[in-house]
Amino acid sequence: MSILSLYMRVLGLLGREKYLALVLALANLALATAQFAEPVLFGRIIDRLSGAQGGGQPLTYGDLAPLLAAWAGFALFSIPAGVLVALYADRLAHRRRLAVTALYFEHVLHLPLSFHSQVHSGRLLKIMLEGAGGMSGLWLSFFRENCASLAALVILLPLSLALNWRLAVLLIALVAVFGVLTNFVLRRTEALQQTVERYNSSLAEQASDALGNVPVIQSFTRIDLEANALRRIIDLVLAAQMPVLTWWAIAGVGARASATLTLLAIFLLGTWLNLHGLATVGEIVMFMNFATMLIARLEQVVGFFNSLFMQAPKLKDFFDVLDAEPQVADSPFAVDPGRLQGRVAFDHVTFSYDGRRHAVSDVSFEAAPGETVALVGATGSGKSTTLGLLHRVFDPIHGRVLIDGFDIRDLTLASLRRNIGVVFQEPMLFARSIEENLRVGRPDASADDIRAALELAQAEAFVARQSDGLATIVGERGRALSGGERQRIAIARALLKNPPILIFDEATSALDAATERELQAALETATRGRTTFVIAHRLATIRAADRIIVFDHGEIVENGTFNDLIAKNGRFADLARAQFMVGPSASAKEAT
């Protein structure tokens, strides 16, 4: 993406502020015109004065009044107009910065878990803050001053040819030389700045990763190692940044040198032209003022392009994320079915993460409303992927998942997920109060509803022991609570949602044996009448399941009740023996 196309995208994000942006652009054009008119009028006044002096005819204020009034008028107009432009440019930039931040944040939340598993959260946060901040700075600088500068260079500078084409050609040539120098610096530093941003992203990821794992760092005495790793990245950032800064320092020196040379050249050529009757004194003064004004404008434009260039990699990263398409989205004809009954059917479902190896292959089964179905198998056998397909973390490449006869792709995502409650293996709590975490799925829940959910999840007693009760802040990812407490809050959160379908992904893995037994009894009551799917490695927790489905390498290899599967003496029986839930097989006894 070129610098120009990148900036056009930045302007495209002005949204509903585009009309204010248009007004600001026109105001900048008016300002540039006023500033262009000032030296013209000043030159005309000097010519009138020098002409009268040379001709021996005295002038009165009345003779100069129109020119003086116009000159003063343009000068006075520039002051309040400049203040108003700056004021509204500030407001536009700040409003759009926050709007773009919200747009990015909402978009990222819609991106699939497969995207988030590949991109570090620290990097996403850095891209959001730096991208939105960079755009705000560009909008502010453009509408506050650089729009007028560009108008002066692109529109008004060529008009100077009508005043004195010889001096104008020299001025345009010097501006062109300066533009070529700036373009040269831009091209030399473009790749270098991209490298700088890659290292900056690595710096954000490294710092975020370390700050998110402080207990591990302290426990394994890695403070010095992590600090040194961060310093190495900082050294790489500096090593890549210094050449960029050097080139732009050269550009800055070139700007100042151009200012001096331009003024000198205009004065020398103007003097020669005046001696040959080709330029008046007023025109020389006029073009000296033009040169001073245009050099200041050039420096502003160079500063703007420097800023745009420095921000370009950050903006590109921002738009790359914004352009990422959610793999799962509502179809144009998606419907909201209201509350579902919970009849689930997998119809020859196949899914692959990479398009080469199937994570789930030709899976078919049904679950009646209110039935509890357990999914077991070795790690990576396809259990979590199968239930991920149920609540549309991703969509199958073949086959259908149906609820109450609806293909779930024909339901709105919001309505589908409103009907499904998920308790993940990792509780994933927000750094908010216990009550706010509970209300995630049901903001309008009553105090009695919350109390009932906590009681069912065996969490009421430990919440009551907290210093602030339900108002207790649980810390980042719930670190103020123990693993078992976090898991019970997560279970209560799903129960409070009161969905017809529940998914428990190793939901009791962090609980002690006594609490687990108590919770299992409570969950049997809580899940009654709900279609419940349980992923479990501890087979004791699923003994009472209505049906157990055994997965192996993405395929269903066994299906039945606990006792039926033990009697089959197959894959499930092997898993049960490994956990000492049944004795050795008959064949094993004979071998001994």
Side-chain angles (χ1 to χ4, degrees), residues 250-277:
I250 292 172
V253 171
R256 286 188 289 273
S258 296
T260 302
L261 292 174
T262 299
L263 289 171
L264 181 61
I266 292 291
F267 181 75
L268 291 176
L269 177 62
T271 302
W272 186 87
L273 291 173
N274 179 261
L275 292 175
H276 289 79

Short mmCIF file of all heavy atoms in Angstrom, two decimals, residues 250-277:
data_model
loop_
_atom_site.label_atom_id
_atom_site.label_comp_id
_atom_site.label_asym_id
_atom_site.label_seq_id
_atom_site.Cartn_x
_atom_site.Cartn_y
_atom_site.Cartn_z
N ILE A 250 19.16 15.04 7.77
CA ILE A 250 19.69 15.59 6.52
C ILE A 250 18.61 16.39 5.79
O ILE A 250 18.86 17.48 5.25
CB ILE A 250 20.23 14.46 5.61
CG1 ILE A 250 21.47 13.84 6.26
CG2 ILE A 250 20.54 14.99 4.21
CD1 ILE A 250 21.96 12.59 5.55
N ALA A 251 17.39 15.85 5.79
CA ALA A 251 16.29 16.57 5.14
C ALA A 251 16.02 17.90 5.84
O ALA A 251 15.73 18.91 5.19
CB ALA A 251 15.03 15.71 5.17
N GLY A 252 16.12 17.91 7.18
CA GLY A 252 15.91 19.15 7.93
C GLY A 252 16.98 20.19 7.61
O GLY A 252 16.67 21.38 7.43
N VAL A 253 18.24 19.74 7.54
CA VAL A 253 19.33 20.65 7.17
C VAL A 253 19.11 21.18 5.76
O VAL A 253 19.32 22.36 5.47
CB VAL A 253 20.69 19.93 7.29
CG1 VAL A 253 21.79 20.79 6.70
CG2 VAL A 253 20.98 19.59 8.73
N GLY A 254 18.65 20.27 4.86
CA GLY A 254 18.37 20.68 3.49
C GLY A 254 17.28 21.73 3.42
O GLY A 254 17.34 22.65 2.61
N ALA A 255 16.28 21.61 4.31
CA ALA A 255 15.20 22.59 4.33
C ALA A 255 15.73 23.97 4.73
O ALA A 255 15.39 24.99 4.11
CB ALA A 255 14.11 22.15 5.31
N ARG A 256 16.56 23.99 5.76
CA ARG A 256 17.11 25.28 6.19
C ARG A 256 18.05 25.87 5.14
O ARG A 256 18.06 27.08 4.90
CB ARG A 256 17.82 25.11 7.53
CG ARG A 256 16.85 24.94 8.71
CD ARG A 256 17.57 24.97 10.03
NE ARG A 256 18.36 23.77 10.24
CZ ARG A 256 17.90 22.64 10.77
NH1 ARG A 256 16.62 22.57 11.12
NH2 ARG A 256 18.68 21.60 10.94
N ALA A 257 18.85 25.00 4.52
CA ALA A 257 19.74 25.47 3.46
C ALA A 257 18.94 26.01 2.28
O ALA A 257 19.29 27.04 1.68
CB ALA A 257 20.66 24.34 3.01
N SER A 258 17.85 25.33 1.95
CA SER A 258 17.00 25.77 0.84
C SER A 258 16.39 27.14 1.14
O SER A 258 16.25 27.97 0.24
CB SER A 258 15.88 24.75 0.60
OG SER A 258 16.42 23.52 0.18
N ALA A 259 16.06 27.36 2.40
CA ALA A 259 15.48 28.65 2.77
C ALA A 259 16.47 29.78 2.51
O ALA A 259 16.15 30.80 1.89
CB ALA A 259 15.08 28.63 4.25
N THR A 260 17.69 29.57 2.96
CA THR A 260 18.70 30.60 2.77
C THR A 260 19.00 30.81 1.29
O THR A 260 19.08 31.95 0.80
CB THR A 260 20.00 30.19 3.51
OG1 THR A 260 19.70 30.00 4.89
CG2 THR A 260 21.06 31.26 3.36
N LEU A 261 19.20 29.73 0.56
CA LEU A 261 19.54 29.82 -0.87
C LEU A 261 18.40 30.42 -1.68
O LEU A 261 18.63 31.18 -2.64
CB LEU A 261 19.89 28.42 -1.40
CG LEU A 261 21.19 27.81 -0.85
CD1 LEU A 261 21.35 26.37 -1.33
CD2 LEU A 261 22.40 28.65 -1.27
N THR A 262 17.16 30.09 -1.31
CA THR A 262 16.02 30.62 -2.05
C THR A 262 15.92 32.13 -1.88
O THR A 262 15.74 32.87 -2.86
CB THR A 262 14.72 29.94 -1.56
OG1 THR A 262 14.81 28.54 -1.79
CG2 THR A 262 13.51 30.50 -2.30
N LEU A 263 16.02 32.60 -0.65
CA LEU A 263 15.96 34.05 -0.41
C LEU A 263 17.10 34.77 -1.13
O LEU A 263 16.89 35.83 -1.75
CB LEU A 263 16.03 34.32 1.10
CG LEU A 263 14.78 33.95 1.91
CD1 LEU A 263 15.06 34.07 3.40
CD2 LEU A 263 13.61 34.83 1.51
N LEU A 264 18.30 34.20 -1.06
CA LEU A 264 19.45 34.82 -1.72
C LEU A 264 19.25 34.85 -3.24
O LEU A 264 19.50 35.87 -3.90
CB LEU A 264 20.72 34.04 -1.37
CG LEU A 264 22.04 34.58 -1.98
CD1 LEU A 264 22.30 36.01 -1.50
CD2 LEU A 264 23.20 33.67 -1.60
N ALA A 265 18.77 33.74 -3.80
CA ALA A 265 18.59 33.67 -5.26
C ALA A 265 17.51 34.64 -5.72
O ALA A 265 17.67 35.31 -6.76
CB ALA A 265 18.23 32.24 -5.65
N ILE A 266 16.40 34.73 -4.98
CA ILE A 266 15.33 35.65 -5.34
C ILE A 266 15.82 37.09 -5.30
O ILE A 266 15.56 37.90 -6.20
CB ILE A 266 14.11 35.47 -4.41
CG1 ILE A 266 13.43 34.11 -4.64
CG2 ILE A 266 13.11 36.61 -4.59
CD1 ILE A 266 12.73 33.98 -5.96
N PHE A 267 16.57 37.42 -4.26
CA PHE A 267 17.07 38.79 -4.12
C PHE A 267 18.05 39.14 -5.25
O PHE A 267 17.96 40.22 -5.86
CB PHE A 267 17.74 38.96 -2.76
CG PHE A 267 18.25 40.35 -2.52
CD1 PHE A 267 17.36 41.38 -2.24
CD2 PHE A 267 19.61 40.64 -2.62
CE1 PHE A 267 17.83 42.68 -2.05
CE2 PHE A 267 20.07 41.94 -2.42
CZ PHE A 267 19.17 42.96 -2.13
N LEU A 268 18.98 38.23 -5.54
CA LEU A 268 19.98 38.51 -6.59
C LEU A 268 19.32 38.61 -7.96
O LEU A 268 19.61 39.53 -8.74
CB LEU A 268 21.05 37.42 -6.59
CG LEU A 268 21.97 37.39 -5.36
CD1 LEU A 268 22.92 36.20 -5.42
CD2 LEU A 268 22.76 38.70 -5.25
N LEU A 269 18.43 37.66 -8.29
CA LEU A 269 17.77 37.72 -9.59
C LEU A 269 16.86 38.94 -9.66
O LEU A 269 16.78 39.62 -10.70
CB LEU A 269 16.95 36.44 -9.81
CG LEU A 269 16.15 36.40 -11.12
CD1 LEU A 269 17.09 36.47 -12.34
CD2 LEU A 269 15.28 35.14 -11.20
N GLY A 270 16.15 39.24 -8.58
CA GLY A 270 15.27 40.40 -8.57
C GLY A 270 16.03 41.69 -8.78
O GLY A 270 15.57 42.59 -9.51
N THR A 271 17.20 41.80 -8.13
CA THR A 271 18.03 43.00 -8.31
C THR A 271 18.45 43.14 -9.77
O THR A 271 18.38 44.21 -10.36
CB THR A 271 19.26 42.92 -7.39
OG1 THR A 271 18.83 42.80 -6.04
CG2 THR A 271 20.11 44.16 -7.55
N TRP A 272 18.90 42.06 -10.39
CA TRP A 272 19.34 42.08 -11.79
C TRP A 272 18.17 42.46 -12.70
O TRP A 272 18.32 43.28 -13.61
CB TRP A 272 19.89 40.71 -12.17
CG TRP A 272 20.49 40.68 -13.55
CD1 TRP A 272 21.76 40.99 -13.91
CD2 TRP A 272 19.80 40.33 -14.77
NE1 TRP A 272 21.94 40.86 -15.27
CE2 TRP A 272 20.75 40.45 -15.82
CE3 TRP A 272 18.50 39.93 -15.05
CZ2 TRP A 272 20.41 40.18 -17.14
CZ3 TRP A 272 18.16 39.67 -16.37
CH2 TRP A 272 19.11 39.79 -17.39
N LEU A 273 17.00 41.88 -12.44
CA LEU A 273 15.82 42.19 -13.25
C LEU A 273 15.41 43.65 -13.08
O LEU A 273 14.99 44.31 -14.05
CB LEU A 273 14.65 41.27 -12.85
CG LEU A 273 14.79 39.79 -13.22
CD1 LEU A 273 13.64 38.99 -12.62
CD2 LEU A 273 14.81 39.61 -14.75
N ASN A 274 15.52 44.16 -11.84
CA ASN A 274 15.17 45.56 -11.60
C ASN A 274 16.11 46.50 -12.35
O ASN A 274 15.67 47.50 -12.93
CB ASN A 274 15.22 45.83 -10.09
CG ASN A 274 14.88 47.28 -9.77
OD1 ASN A 274 15.78 48.10 -9.55
ND2 ASN A 274 13.59 47.59 -9.73
N LEU A 275 17.39 46.15 -12.36
CA LEU A 275 18.36 46.99 -13.06
C LEU A 275 18.10 47.00 -14.58
O LEU A 275 18.48 47.96 -15.27
CB LEU A 275 19.78 46.49 -12.78
CG LEU A 275 20.27 46.66 -11.34
CD1 LEU A 275 21.63 46.02 -11.14
CD2 LEU A 275 20.33 48.15 -10.96
N HIS A 276 17.48 45.94 -15.07
CA HIS A 276 17.18 45.86 -16.50
C HIS A 276 15.72 46.18 -16.79
O HIS A 276 15.22 45.92 -17.91
CB HIS A 276 17.50 44.46 -17.04
CG HIS A 276 18.99 44.19 -17.09
ND1 HIS A 276 19.72 43.83 -15.98
CD2 HIS A 276 19.86 44.25 -18.14
CE1 HIS A 276 20.98 43.65 -16.32
NE2 HIS A 276 21.11 43.91 -17.63
N GLY A 277 15.03 46.72 -15.83
CA GLY A 277 13.66 47.16 -16.04
C GLY A 277 12.65 46.04 -16.17
O GLY A 277 11.57 46.23 -16.73
#
